[in-house]
Amino acid sequence: MSGNGIKDLSLLDRVIHEPARLMIMAILFAVEEADFVYLQRECGLTQGNLSSHLSKLEEVGYLTITKTFKGKYPLTICKLTRKGREAFDGYSTKMRFVTDPPNHPKE
Amino acid sequence: MPSSSPVLSAAQRASFYWFDDGLPTLLTGVACLLMAFSLLYPHSGGSNLLSAVVALVSIVLYGLLLIRQREILDWLKSRITYPRTGYVSPPYSLKDANLPLGLTSLSLPGSETSHPDERDRSRQVSFMIAIALAVGLPIFFFSNPWLCLVSGFLTSAALWFGLRYIQRVSWILLAGFPLLGLAMLLFLPRYIDGPARVAWFLAGTGVILIVEGTVALLRYLQNNPLRRQTEK
């Protein structure tokens, strides 16, 4: 962060800051790719809710959604883009700075 | 990042998820049995031609399983797992796909996602290979039946220490290997040679893994009945 103190919090990425989207980003950051059913199961979101959050993340270019088939089973595979990966990385760095700044006195 | 971070726990859950359906374990068990057959049949005392054919078929099937393991697993999972609980990328990268069955299950998550515990997992793979050698070589070179029992306990301990962070280690695996060692101590004739002893241990390992995989698969199917695909 630039060092403007509490005002820096306003620079947090609002797209990622939303809890449901943060969950989706965290899961996709951890795994290479996952499909809709897996994400729904892990996040505990409804289909409509998950769909709208995925669309929002896709809109800003943080993830790609690919419809494909594994055998006869249709898969909606979600994968973070490089931009999404960098955005999540930046977000988590900023959050770490907020919760545990470098000059925080340690016991 | 602390080990309890949501990202790491998501990675670990994805890694556990890969084994939840028991299919990787089942395939590894089948591979062990095939390998054991190919080692055992030349020592079975049957007709030479039959032994050669069985050994050859076992080797070919084992090779096929080894080369096509990713495709076979994907094929099985696309019919059993993905329609029920979804797809997530496997806990090993594509470049590891040609590692022997069993070892792939211990290797690293996707190459594009470098996790802080990547080196730890690498060490775990080396540890498991070292244990496999430590168990296999004494059985191969020494005919003392007590070694089989020790090897059984060693394998069980190695699975616990080597795998518990990557996949759930069930009581079937933990109890199975000491029992296998005990069975070999009690029932295996003392005159059989090294390769046959290793083959019997491998066959027992295959049976344990198949039982473990089948139980896991049945449990998975029971807990995750097939649902209608209504996603948009």
PDB file of all heavy atoms in Angstrom, chain B residues 4 7 13 22 35-36 52 58-59 63 71 93 100 104 111 114 126 137 161 172 189 191 205 214-216:
ATOM      1  N   SER B   4      -3.298 -22.449   7.852  1.00  0.00           N
ATOM      2  CA  SER B   4      -4.750 -22.538   7.966  1.00  0.00           C
ATOM      3  C   SER B   4      -5.452 -21.562   7.014  1.00  0.00           C
ATOM      4  O   SER B   4      -6.642 -21.357   7.125  1.00  0.00           O
ATOM      5  CB  SER B   4      -5.167 -22.231   9.402  1.00  0.00           C
ATOM      6  OG  SER B   4      -4.697 -20.948   9.757  1.00  0.00           O
ATOM      7  N   VAL B   7      -6.961 -20.364   1.250  1.00  0.00           N
ATOM      8  CA  VAL B   7      -6.444 -20.832  -0.041  1.00  0.00           C
ATOM      9  C   VAL B   7      -5.809 -22.215   0.119  1.00  0.00           C
ATOM     10  O   VAL B   7      -6.074 -23.137  -0.668  1.00  0.00           O
ATOM     11  CB  VAL B   7      -5.417 -19.830  -0.615  1.00  0.00           C
ATOM     12  CG1 VAL B   7      -4.752 -20.400  -1.845  1.00  0.00           C
ATOM     13  CG2 VAL B   7      -6.108 -18.524  -0.954  1.00  0.00           C
ATOM     14  N   ARG B  13      -8.485 -29.430   0.345  1.00  0.00           N
ATOM     15  CA  ARG B  13      -9.795 -30.053   0.123  1.00  0.00           C
ATOM     16  C   ARG B  13      -9.896 -30.596  -1.305  1.00  0.00           C
ATOM     17  O   ARG B  13     -10.447 -31.670  -1.528  1.00  0.00           O
ATOM     18  CB  ARG B  13     -10.911 -29.035   0.371  1.00  0.00           C
ATOM     19  CG  ARG B  13     -11.211 -28.825   1.842  1.00  0.00           C
ATOM     20  CD  ARG B  13     -12.217 -27.706   2.023  1.00  0.00           C
ATOM     21  NE  ARG B  13     -13.500 -28.006   1.422  1.00  0.00           N
ATOM     22  CZ  ARG B  13     -14.427 -28.781   1.982  1.00  0.00           C
ATOM     23  NH1 ARG B  13     -14.201 -29.296   3.150  1.00  0.00           N
ATOM     24  NH2 ARG B  13     -15.561 -29.015   1.373  1.00  0.00           N
ATOM     25  N   GLY B  22     -12.604 -43.046  -4.317  1.00  0.00           N
ATOM     26  CA  GLY B  22     -11.907 -44.335  -4.245  1.00  0.00           C
ATOM     27  C   GLY B  22     -11.349 -44.833  -5.571  1.00  0.00           C
ATOM     28  O   GLY B  22     -10.658 -45.861  -5.604  1.00  0.00           O
ATOM     29  N   MET B  35       0.937 -56.272 -11.663  1.00  0.00           N
ATOM     30  CA  MET B  35       2.395 -56.371 -11.511  1.00  0.00           C
ATOM     31  C   MET B  35       2.761 -57.663 -10.767  1.00  0.00           C
ATOM     32  O   MET B  35       3.710 -58.359 -11.130  1.00  0.00           O
ATOM     33  CB  MET B  35       2.879 -55.137 -10.735  1.00  0.00           C
ATOM     34  CG  MET B  35       4.364 -54.960 -10.723  1.00  0.00           C
ATOM     35  SD  MET B  35       4.937 -54.590 -12.373  1.00  0.00           S
ATOM     36  CE  MET B  35       6.682 -54.696 -12.140  1.00  0.00           C
ATOM     37  N   ALA B  36       1.972 -57.964  -9.721  1.00  0.00           N
ATOM     38  CA  ALA B  36       2.228 -59.175  -8.931  1.00  0.00           C
ATOM     39  C   ALA B  36       2.043 -60.426  -9.792  1.00  0.00           C
ATOM     40  O   ALA B  36       2.858 -61.356  -9.735  1.00  0.00           O
ATOM     41  CB  ALA B  36       1.292 -59.209  -7.730  1.00  0.00           C
ATOM     42  N   ALA B  52       3.992 -67.935 -19.370  1.00  0.00           N
ATOM     43  CA  ALA B  52       4.522 -66.844 -20.192  1.00  0.00           C
ATOM     44  C   ALA B  52       3.395 -65.954 -20.688  1.00  0.00           C
ATOM     45  O   ALA B  52       3.509 -64.719 -20.666  1.00  0.00           O
ATOM     46  CB  ALA B  52       5.306 -67.414 -21.376  1.00  0.00           C
ATOM     47  N   SER B  58      -0.314 -59.722 -18.261  1.00  0.00           N
ATOM     48  CA  SER B  58      -0.280 -58.867 -17.060  1.00  0.00           C
ATOM     49  C   SER B  58       0.618 -57.664 -17.293  1.00  0.00           C
ATOM     50  O   SER B  58       0.263 -56.533 -16.924  1.00  0.00           O
ATOM     51  CB  SER B  58       0.241 -59.642 -15.842  1.00  0.00           C
ATOM     52  OG  SER B  58      -0.555 -60.753 -15.610  1.00  0.00           O
ATOM     53  N   ILE B  59       1.759 -57.896 -17.886  1.00  0.00           N
ATOM     54  CA  ILE B  59       2.699 -56.793 -18.130  1.00  0.00           C
ATOM     55  C   ILE B  59       2.092 -55.782 -19.096  1.00  0.00           C
ATOM     56  O   ILE B  59       2.179 -54.568 -18.885  1.00  0.00           O
ATOM     57  CB  ILE B  59       4.049 -57.328 -18.673  1.00  0.00           C
ATOM     58  CG1 ILE B  59       4.802 -58.023 -17.539  1.00  0.00           C
ATOM     59  CG2 ILE B  59       4.905 -56.202 -19.249  1.00  0.00           C
ATOM     60  CD1 ILE B  59       6.042 -58.757 -17.977  1.00  0.00           C
ATOM     61  N   GLY B  63       1.254 -52.013 -18.233  1.00  0.00           N
ATOM     62  CA  GLY B  63       1.832 -50.920 -19.030  1.00  0.00           C
ATOM     63  C   GLY B  63       0.762 -49.972 -19.543  1.00  0.00           C
ATOM     64  O   GLY B  63       0.909 -48.757 -19.489  1.00  0.00           O
ATOM     65  N   GLU B  71      -6.172 -40.920 -18.566  1.00  0.00           N
ATOM     66  CA  GLU B  71      -7.371 -41.043 -19.403  1.00  0.00           C
ATOM     67  C   GLU B  71      -8.375 -42.001 -18.765  1.00  0.00           C
ATOM     68  O   GLU B  71      -9.576 -41.741 -18.767  1.00  0.00           O
ATOM     69  CB  GLU B  71      -6.996 -41.550 -20.806  1.00  0.00           C
ATOM     70  CG  GLU B  71      -6.317 -40.524 -21.687  1.00  0.00           C
ATOM     71  CD  GLU B  71      -4.808 -40.488 -21.494  1.00  0.00           C
ATOM     72  OE1 GLU B  71      -4.312 -41.084 -20.508  1.00  0.00           O
ATOM     73  OE2 GLU B  71      -4.115 -39.861 -22.317  1.00  0.00           O
ATOM     74  N   SER B  93       0.149 -32.251 -11.730  1.00  0.00           N
ATOM     75  CA  SER B  93       0.138 -31.527 -12.992  1.00  0.00           C
ATOM     76  C   SER B  93       0.194 -32.500 -14.159  1.00  0.00           C
ATOM     77  O   SER B  93       0.519 -33.665 -14.005  1.00  0.00           O
ATOM     78  CB  SER B  93       1.323 -30.585 -13.045  1.00  0.00           C
ATOM     79  OG  SER B  93       2.509 -31.319 -12.999  1.00  0.00           O
ATOM     80  N   PRO B 100       4.445 -43.489 -12.264  1.00  0.00           N
ATOM     81  CA  PRO B 100       3.724 -44.704 -11.950  1.00  0.00           C
ATOM     82  C   PRO B 100       2.494 -44.429 -11.092  1.00  0.00           C
ATOM     83  O   PRO B 100       2.481 -43.486 -10.318  1.00  0.00           O
ATOM     84  CB  PRO B 100       4.748 -45.517 -11.145  1.00  0.00           C
ATOM     85  CG  PRO B 100       6.051 -44.960 -11.502  1.00  0.00           C
ATOM     86  CD  PRO B 100       5.829 -43.528 -11.847  1.00  0.00           C
ATOM     87  N   THR B 104       1.778 -40.771  -8.662  1.00  0.00           N
ATOM     88  CA  THR B 104       1.095 -39.563  -9.123  1.00  0.00           C
ATOM     89  C   THR B 104       0.169 -39.048  -8.040  1.00  0.00           C
ATOM     90  O   THR B 104      -0.007 -37.860  -7.887  1.00  0.00           O
ATOM     91  CB  THR B 104       0.251 -39.846 -10.371  1.00  0.00           C
ATOM     92  OG1 THR B 104      -0.540 -40.969 -10.101  1.00  0.00           O
ATOM     93  CG2 THR B 104       1.106 -40.052 -11.571  1.00  0.00           C
ATOM     94  N   SER B 111       0.708 -27.260 -11.942  1.00  0.00           N
ATOM     95  CA  SER B 111       1.993 -26.585 -12.047  1.00  0.00           C
ATOM     96  C   SER B 111       1.848 -25.061 -12.073  1.00  0.00           C
ATOM     97  O   SER B 111       2.739 -24.350 -11.667  1.00  0.00           O
ATOM     98  CB  SER B 111       2.704 -27.049 -13.307  1.00  0.00           C
ATOM     99  OG  SER B 111       1.862 -26.858 -14.414  1.00  0.00           O
ATOM    100  N   SER B 114       1.597 -22.442  -7.813  1.00  0.00           N
ATOM    101  CA  SER B 114       2.670 -22.911  -6.962  1.00  0.00           C
ATOM    102  C   SER B 114       2.300 -22.633  -5.510  1.00  0.00           C
ATOM    103  O   SER B 114       2.185 -21.486  -5.092  1.00  0.00           O
ATOM    104  CB  SER B 114       3.973 -22.209  -7.317  1.00  0.00           C
ATOM    105  OG  SER B 114       3.855 -20.853  -7.077  1.00  0.00           O
ATOM    106  N   SER B 126       9.549 -38.379  -2.165  1.00  0.00           N
ATOM    107  CA  SER B 126      10.864 -38.999  -1.973  1.00  0.00           C
ATOM    108  C   SER B 126      10.832 -39.940  -0.771  1.00  0.00           C
ATOM    109  O   SER B 126      11.388 -41.039  -0.808  1.00  0.00           O
ATOM    110  CB  SER B 126      11.926 -37.932  -1.727  1.00  0.00           C
ATOM    111  OG  SER B 126      11.811 -36.922  -2.666  1.00  0.00           O
ATOM    112  N   LEU B 137      13.319 -54.163  -0.639  1.00  0.00           N
ATOM    113  CA  LEU B 137      14.650 -54.778  -0.757  1.00  0.00           C
ATOM    114  C   LEU B 137      14.911 -55.875   0.284  1.00  0.00           C
ATOM    115  O   LEU B 137      15.387 -56.958  -0.088  1.00  0.00           O
ATOM    116  CB  LEU B 137      15.739 -53.695  -0.709  1.00  0.00           C
ATOM    117  CG  LEU B 137      15.788 -52.786  -1.950  1.00  0.00           C
ATOM    118  CD1 LEU B 137      16.867 -51.720  -1.803  1.00  0.00           C
ATOM    119  CD2 LEU B 137      16.016 -53.596  -3.217  1.00  0.00           C
ATOM    120  N   PHE B 161       2.525 -41.480   8.020  1.00  0.00           N
ATOM    121  CA  PHE B 161       3.353 -40.275   8.082  1.00  0.00           C
ATOM    122  C   PHE B 161       3.487 -39.582   6.721  1.00  0.00           C
ATOM    123  O   PHE B 161       3.603 -38.370   6.647  1.00  0.00           O
ATOM    124  CB  PHE B 161       4.741 -40.599   8.637  1.00  0.00           C
ATOM    125  CG  PHE B 161       4.707 -40.898  10.106  1.00  0.00           C
ATOM    126  CD1 PHE B 161       4.945 -42.169  10.581  1.00  0.00           C
ATOM    127  CD2 PHE B 161       4.408 -39.889  11.017  1.00  0.00           C
ATOM    128  CE1 PHE B 161       4.886 -42.445  11.936  1.00  0.00           C
ATOM    129  CE2 PHE B 161       4.350 -40.158  12.371  1.00  0.00           C
ATOM    130  CZ  PHE B 161       4.589 -41.437  12.841  1.00  0.00           C
ATOM    131  N   ILE B 172      -8.462 -49.287   6.927  1.00  0.00           N
ATOM    132  CA  ILE B 172      -8.251 -50.490   6.094  1.00  0.00           C
ATOM    133  C   ILE B 172      -6.778 -50.546   5.663  1.00  0.00           C
ATOM    134  O   ILE B 172      -6.140 -51.602   5.721  1.00  0.00           O
ATOM    135  CB  ILE B 172      -9.169 -50.470   4.849  1.00  0.00           C
ATOM    136  CG1 ILE B 172     -10.631 -50.545   5.280  1.00  0.00           C
ATOM    137  CG2 ILE B 172      -8.834 -51.620   3.897  1.00  0.00           C
ATOM    138  CD1 ILE B 172     -11.634 -50.404   4.149  1.00  0.00           C
ATOM    139  N   PRO B 189       5.476 -70.192   2.215  1.00  0.00           N
ATOM    140  CA  PRO B 189       6.544 -71.192   2.369  1.00  0.00           C
ATOM    141  C   PRO B 189       7.922 -70.522   2.398  1.00  0.00           C
ATOM    142  O   PRO B 189       8.136 -69.507   1.734  1.00  0.00           O
ATOM    143  CB  PRO B 189       6.398 -72.049   1.113  1.00  0.00           C
ATOM    144  CG  PRO B 189       5.090 -71.731   0.530  1.00  0.00           C
ATOM    145  CD  PRO B 189       4.726 -70.360   0.981  1.00  0.00           C
ATOM    146  N   TYR B 191      10.715 -71.617   1.287  1.00  0.00           N
ATOM    147  CA  TYR B 191      11.649 -71.890   0.191  1.00  0.00           C
ATOM    148  C   TYR B 191      11.470 -70.976  -1.024  1.00  0.00           C
ATOM    149  O   TYR B 191      12.273 -71.003  -1.936  1.00  0.00           O
ATOM    150  CB  TYR B 191      11.535 -73.360  -0.257  1.00  0.00           C
ATOM    151  CG  TYR B 191      10.125 -73.766  -0.650  1.00  0.00           C
ATOM    152  CD1 TYR B 191       9.630 -73.478  -1.915  1.00  0.00           C
ATOM    153  CD2 TYR B 191       9.300 -74.440   0.251  1.00  0.00           C
ATOM    154  CE1 TYR B 191       8.353 -73.839  -2.268  1.00  0.00           C
ATOM    155  CE2 TYR B 191       8.017 -74.794  -0.097  1.00  0.00           C
ATOM    156  CZ  TYR B 191       7.546 -74.502  -1.351  1.00  0.00           C
ATOM    157  OH  TYR B 191       6.273 -74.847  -1.696  1.00  0.00           O
ATOM    158  N   THR B 205      -0.833 -56.087  -1.328  1.00  0.00           N
ATOM    159  CA  THR B 205      -1.032 -54.633  -1.389  1.00  0.00           C
ATOM    160  C   THR B 205      -2.179 -54.299  -2.340  1.00  0.00           C
ATOM    161  O   THR B 205      -3.037 -53.471  -2.032  1.00  0.00           O
ATOM    162  CB  THR B 205       0.263 -53.943  -1.874  1.00  0.00           C
ATOM    163  OG1 THR B 205       1.310 -54.294  -0.980  1.00  0.00           O
ATOM    164  CG2 THR B 205       0.122 -52.436  -1.907  1.00  0.00           C
ATOM    165  N   THR B 214     -12.881 -49.903  -3.077  1.00  0.00           N
ATOM    166  CA  THR B 214     -14.278 -50.310  -3.226  1.00  0.00           C
ATOM    167  C   THR B 214     -15.129 -49.741  -2.089  1.00  0.00           C
ATOM    168  O   THR B 214     -16.227 -49.222  -2.323  1.00  0.00           O
ATOM    169  CB  THR B 214     -14.390 -51.850  -3.245  1.00  0.00           C
ATOM    170  OG1 THR B 214     -13.501 -52.342  -4.245  1.00  0.00           O
ATOM    171  CG2 THR B 214     -15.791 -52.302  -3.542  1.00  0.00           C
ATOM    172  N   VAL B 215     -14.609 -49.823  -0.873  1.00  0.00           N
ATOM    173  CA  VAL B 215     -15.356 -49.283   0.283  1.00  0.00           C
ATOM    174  C   VAL B 215     -15.550 -47.778   0.105  1.00  0.00           C
ATOM    175  O   VAL B 215     -16.647 -47.254   0.310  1.00  0.00           O
ATOM    176  CB  VAL B 215     -14.609 -49.593   1.609  1.00  0.00           C
ATOM    177  CG1 VAL B 215     -15.209 -48.813   2.772  1.00  0.00           C
ATOM    178  CG2 VAL B 215     -14.653 -51.090   1.895  1.00  0.00           C
ATOM    179  N   ALA B 216     -14.474 -47.093  -0.306  1.00  0.00           N
ATOM    180  CA  ALA B 216     -14.567 -45.630  -0.509  1.00  0.00           C
ATOM    181  C   ALA B 216     -15.577 -45.307  -1.607  1.00  0.00           C
ATOM    182  O   ALA B 216     -16.366 -44.359  -1.471  1.00  0.00           O
ATOM    183  CB  ALA B 216     -13.197 -45.066  -0.861  1.00  0.00           C
TER     184      ALA B 216
END
